[in-house]
Amino acid sequence: VATWPVSEDGDGPTPAAPHYRLLAGPRDGRAETLAAHRERLGPLLEALGRRQSSARIIDLVRRSGLQGRGGAGFPTAVKLDAVSKNAGLARNPVVVANGSETEPISRKDRVLLTLRPHLVLDGIEVAARAVGAQRAFLVTPWGAPEAAAAVRVALKERAAHLPGGLVPEVVTGSPAFVGGEETALLRWLEGTPPLPRFGPPRPFQRGWRGLPTLVQNVETLANLALISRFGADWFRSDGTDDEPGTTLVTVAGSATRPGVYELSIGTPLRRLLETAGWSPTSSALLLGGYFGTWVESQAALGALLSRAGVRVLGASSGAGIVQLLPEGACGLKETARLATWLALETSGQCGPCVRGLPAVAGAVSQLAQAHSVPQGLEARIGQWCDDIEGRGGCHHPNGFVNLVRSSVAVFAPELELHRRGRCSGTVTAGFPLPAHHRERR
Ligand SMILES: Cc1cc2nc3c(=O)[nH]c(=O)nc-3n(C[C@H](O)[C@H](O)[C@H](O)COP(=O)(O)O)c2cc1C
Ligand code: SF4
């Protein structure tokens, strides 16, 4: 399990992370206790004001500019508002804290839940207050018993010392890659297989068991807990005007100090890479995880870590993942492995996933083989990607297309080598490829 980085003496933030907000707390890898949490931040309800209305909380969040940290960056206040309006009609809204973290490289949500469970639990309380919910779920990642244990201990502490608070039901998330998608997650919580559901109605209208449901990533909720205590101006004092706050980023692959880092949004990517012990011999990095975009390392050095900053590279930061390709690894071979895995991780409900993804993955596997690259194969892959993009019930095919397109562009020199019957690959990158969920159910 990756953890957050510490300085030489084992205490205090590293230079790349001078603004610890979410990862402030004990440095021994154990969860912050309720007593330490309250000593650091003060009690939540007093900060919130016992009579703080839904409208005032939503206005506060709107002014803070908080955007979702689960990948899409959607404005949190808009979702709170939508659920609260639907709750006014239907009552009994539900809050779901999405800590599924189904992206195999990501570690940020499990680290957050393991180290600062009370911050996430506070965020659930604030969100519930904002939308008028009496019921909540907290989803912990599959295969992360330490995160679930920290949450359960935290709930026991709250039951003993903060009676009367909202007690979320703790549920282990689905192992399926698409299982973290919000509609798939709602099905999982209803006890059925995690298949994405095509809207409308969307979860804010009819979600868990038909009730208006707010689904927020756990990092988003942790920020909500801080905003409700320290206000919108405080939140905006970090990050950029368009993307305020800090963000958690998982750095993996060929770095000497891989881990989960907290950064001001807008921090130069170079600073993160240097702090994480990046090797300049790494030719490329994958930004945004398996749905992400390959970027040449030298180009990435000049970018800022924000949605707008990486857009310049044609990339999206997704849920904050930077995977470094090790020296000696063939980017096309690595992409072929990922594409083949992703093609088997669909929910099998839509044409593009059932027919398109396996075909493209097969073609990328051909590109990855030296000696046998047919002429015009990249053009065919490009055409298929155009056909697939935007046509699924969820964003799975779009993420897949991102990965494949960027690999063909960034690894063009490698492809030329393959055409000449050679390959620069001498090692494999070791990207984690969990067993497919169908086998595990
Ligand atoms: C295939 C797929 C997988 C996803 N996995 C996750 C996940 O593991 N955790 C998460 O918070 N959001 C995930 N999302 C995004 C959720 O659908 C949803 O947008 C998010 O939980 C909303 O929270 P936010 O607004 O706080 O970001 C995924 C989306 C897709 C398309
Ligand atoms: S696009 Fe793919 S992953 Fe998404 S719902 Fe359709 S089949 Fe499932």
Side-chain angles (χ1 to χ4, degrees), residues 57-68:
I57 298 174
I58 295 172
D59 180 56
L60 176 71
V61 178
R62 183 174 292 115
R63 285 186 284 112
S64 77
L66 175 64
Q67 295 158 7

Side-chain angles (χ1 to χ4, degrees), residues 226-252:
L226 294 173
I227 291 166
S228 66
R229 283 183 163 92
F230 304 124
D233 290 344
W234 169 83
F235 187 70
R236 284 189 163 281
S237 67
D238 210 332
T240 68
D241 284 351
D242 292 339
E243 299 171 61
T246 63
T247 185
L248 299 180
V249 179
T250 307
V251 182

Side-chain angles (χ1 to χ4, degrees), residues 67-76 79 98-103 108-109 176-183 185 196 215-221 291 319 394-396:
Q67 295 158 7
R69 304 295 201 242
F74 195 78
T76 305
K79 269 163 82 164
N98 191 354
S100 307
E101 198 161 55
T102 51
E103 160 66 58
K108 73 172 184 87
D109 291 338
F177 189 76
V178 294
E181 193 276 335
E182 58 185 6
T183 60
L185 177 59
V215 183
Q216 299 283 182
N217 176 257
V218 288
E219 184 187 339
T220 314
L221 291 165
F291 270 0
C394 77
H395 290 293
H396 188 76

